[in-house]
Amino acid sequence: MNRDSLYIGGRWVPSAAGRTLPVENPATEEIIAHVPAGTAEDVDRAVTAARAAFDDWARTPMAERGAMLGKLHEALSARAGDIARTVGLELGTPLKVAKAVQAGLPLTVLRGYADLAANPAAEESIGHSLITHEPVGVVGAITPWNYPLHQVVAKVAAALAAGCPVVLKPSELTPLVAYLLLDAADEAGLPPGVLNLVPGTGPEVGAAIAAHPDVDMVSFTGSTATGRAVSHAAADRIAKVSLELGGKSANIILAGAELTKAVKVGVGNAFLNSGQTCTAWTRMLVHRSYYAEAVELAAATAEGYRTGDPFDEATRLGPLVSAGQRDRVRGFVERATARRVAGAAAVPEKGYFVAPTVFADVDPGSELAQEEIFGPVLSIIPFADDDEAVRIANNSRYGLAGGVWGDPDRALAVARRMRTGAVDINGAAFNPVAPFGGYKQSGIGRELGSYGMAEFQQTKAIQR
Ligand code: NDP
């Protein structure tokens, strides 16, 4: 693997400017690697390579693209242990979670796209029109640091399956795991130019991708503020954009729900990956009939989470990704005026740790309940009836995910009223082939499964 290079046109090549960026281990504050700081010139080379690859890749039958993705899956699976360790080092995800989620999930998603493409759906006719789905063109993929391989694979596998070459810019905070993917792509023999890697900063490489005249679609995951900037840049040339942005999801615990399970699973969801999860259920809405009990249980559950070394099997919470992220999260905690019921646990002095924190009696309109904090901070809010629960849940500029606990029919009725892209009833498992994406300022478009692939396709009507 060449962490000192970019991957363009099927080859490891140096960056035009020769500058580098350090990669830090957030648990130890040590610099663990350097990667190239790509430039706009590098982006241009990568887009040119992707454009050159487009016609052949687009014309390759989908089933053959699926077979190629199968080979990529095989090569990446062989690196599963490395993936978990790498994400443990560059992001600080505890090893157990890193194995299951940071390595396991992208491998599942990649396998899913290999299978989807290997068995293409029959073409549809509407009257005398044949409806075809064709690749949208060259895709620029800009990804964040919180699930650094999953977010890359969700874009890359779907785009490649659809027939689109990709120029990828991973987060500058977690670029190392993307090298494992490119290494696997190289080994699997993906045609030159089909997948290109340009690491670097958002303002330089990300902005150059978003504004490049020959990028037909930009697929972005990250903050709403940056998503807005990417959207503006792409709007000038009417390029297609898909955005997976922030969230402030509500977990509604209705009267009559199984309280202990609902609270424990709810806390676990909110604190997954140290709370750095866009779908995190950061607002726990509890029916007044057992509100006090729920607050006590949530506080005790949070206090029981062990924070520390990601490579210690007993660790439940690792550090936050950076000093900046830790300080941002601490700022929210310090400004909060709600009743803090957990958050005093000791955390390691070195590394960017924040104690698992729970606030009760949170005002639904306050900063705590409205802003995406992206740390291990949970807000608990009481409600009187289902209508009030739905009102509070929908009182957000975001709409990405959510949970409802209670009688299944009643929970389904509440789920239908939530203005959000996904809802889990009574802790139902995440489905990696179901459409994933947001309402309101949580984004535009869907990822995963066939809906995710459709984002990278144009629809054509041929009359005959
Ligand atoms: P960003 O949205 O800034 O980062 C996401 C990606 O966008 C990164 O690859 C970043 O590059 C890139 N980027 C940054 N600026 C630009 C730009 N002008 N044009 C194009 N691409 C750009 O998130 P942050 O890392 O700053 O995190 C801040 C907050 O955003 C978090 O605290 C959290 O609330 C939220 N967030 C939400 C995520 C989600 O999945 N919903 C994921 C990440 C963050 P680089 O970082 O390499 O410079």
Side-chain angles (χ1 to χ4, degrees):
M1 193 184 351
N2 288 287
R3 284 173 179 172
D4 54 355
S5 303
L6 320 174
Y7 192 82
I8 295 177
R11 288 190 307 123
W12 294 104
V13 296
S15 163
R19 285 182 278 120
T20 61
L21 289 169
V23 183
E24 189 180 17
N25 176 338
T28 63
E29 304 181 25
E30 286 161 358
I31 302 301
I32 51 171
H34 286 82
V35 296
T39 63
E41 192 185 330
D42 295 324
V43 169
D44 194 50
R45 284 155 67 208
V47 172
T48 303
R51 177 58 61 198
F54 176 69
D55 283 348
D56 280 354
W57 187 244
R59 273 203 301 264
T60 301
M62 191 182 271
E64 273 179 43
R65 295 198 296 260
M68 200 65 88
L69 287 176
K71 283 190 192 160
L72 178 59
H73 175 262
E74 206 175 295
L76 196 61
S77 296
R79 291 161 173 80
D82 270 356
I83 293 168
R85 269 190 303 280
T86 302
V87 180
L89 286 172
E90 63 183 349
L91 176 60
T93 307
L95 198 57
K96 211 165 137 189
V97 182
K99 282 182 187 160
V101 183
Q102 303 283 14
L105 182 57
L107 285 170
T108 302
V109 169
L110 180 54
R111 182 70 257 165
Y113 275 114
D115 294 343
L116 185 71
N119 303 289
E123 283 181 332
E124 177 194 7
S125 287
I126 300 180
H128 65 290
S129 302
L130 175 71
I131 311 302
T132 65
H133 299 285
E134 301 178 355
V136 72
V138 169
V139 167
I142 304 172
T143 56
W145 40 263
N146 54 336
Y147 290 90
L149 185 62
H150 167 64
Q151 281 141 339
V152 164
V153 166
K155 297 182 188 320
V156 165
L160 295 187
C164 303
V166 177
V167 175
L168 167 66
K169 188 211 96 65
S171 166
E172 66 181 285
L173 297 175
T174 57
L176 301 181
V177 74
Y179 276 85
L180 292 172
L181 176 68
L182 270 294
D183 198 30
D186 194 62
E187 184 183 303
L190 279 191
V194 158
L195 181 57
N196 306 277
L197 174 71
V198 185
T201 69
E204 184 148 15
V205 175
I209 289 174
H212 199 288
D214 217 15
V215 169
D216 298 290
M217 173 172 169
V218 185
S219 179
F220 172 84
T221 299
S223 64
T224 296
T226 304
R228 198 171 284 126
V230 165
S231 233
H232 280 142
D236 277 345
R237 60 183 194 286
I238 321 287
K240 191 171 176 183
V241 169
S242 79
L243 304 171
E244 297 296 339
L245 307 175
K248 191 73 197 178
S249 297
N251 179 28
I252 301 178
I253 305 177
L254 299 172
E258 201 185 320
L259 186 69
T260 305
K261 189 172 173 202
V263 170
K264 285 192 169 173
V265 173
V267 171
N269 180 297
F271 290 173
L272 178 67
N273 207 27
S274 294
Q276 303 167 120
T277 302
C278 49
T279 53
W281 297 341
T282 47
R283 295 180 297 154
M284 182 180 282
L285 277 46
V286 184
H287 188 258
R288 284 199 185 279
S289 57
Y290 42 30
Y291 179 71
E293 205 184 320
V295 169
E296 210 172 293
L297 186 57
T301 306
E303 297 280 10
Y305 276 33
R306 181 148 156 195
T307 305
D309 177 6
F311 289 90
D312 179 340
E313 286 285 331
T315 295
R316 189 81 191 256
L317 285 185
L320 299 191
V321 69
S322 64
Q325 189 62 20
R326 176 201 55 195
D327 296 346
R328 189 171 174 276
V329 172
R330 280 189 181 162
F332 284 110
V333 171
E334 279 157 19
R335 288 191 299 277
T337 52
R339 179 163 61 99
R340 195 172 81 167
V341 294
V347 296
E349 272 190 16
K350 206 159 184 73
Y352 306 128
F353 294 91
V354 171
T357 304
V358 179
F359 287 97
D361 313 342
V362 174
D363 175 349
S366 66
E367 184 186 66
L368 263 189
Q370 290 292 324
E371 296 300 323
E372 183 179 52
I373 295 173
F374 240 52
V377 180
L378 173 68
S379 296
I380 312 186
I381 303 171
F383 66 84
D385 55 29
D386 295 8
D387 285 348
E388 191 186 15
V390 170
R391 250 195 329 273
I392 296 171
N394 289 341
N395 174 16
S396 172
R397 66 177 183 281
Y398 296 115
L400 189 57
V404 189
W405 299 79
D407 166 73
D409 290 338
R410 187 167 167 186
L412 179 60
V414 168
R416 288 186 192 279
R417 295 171 67 192
M418 292 167 77
R419 301 280 301 154
T420 183
V423 185
D424 304 335
I425 291 177
N426 289 328
F430 178 72
N431 180 350
V433 292
F436 175 90
Y439 285 26
K440 301 191 265 184
Q441 292 188 25
S442 287
I444 298 174
R446 293 293 178 267
E447 291 197 318
L448 302 181
S450 56
Y451 283 82
M453 188 172 78
E455 290 291 331
F456 296 101
Q457 291 174 319
Q458 291 281 18
T459 305
K460 180 183 280 178
I462 302 171
Q463 286 61 242
R464 55 186 176 162

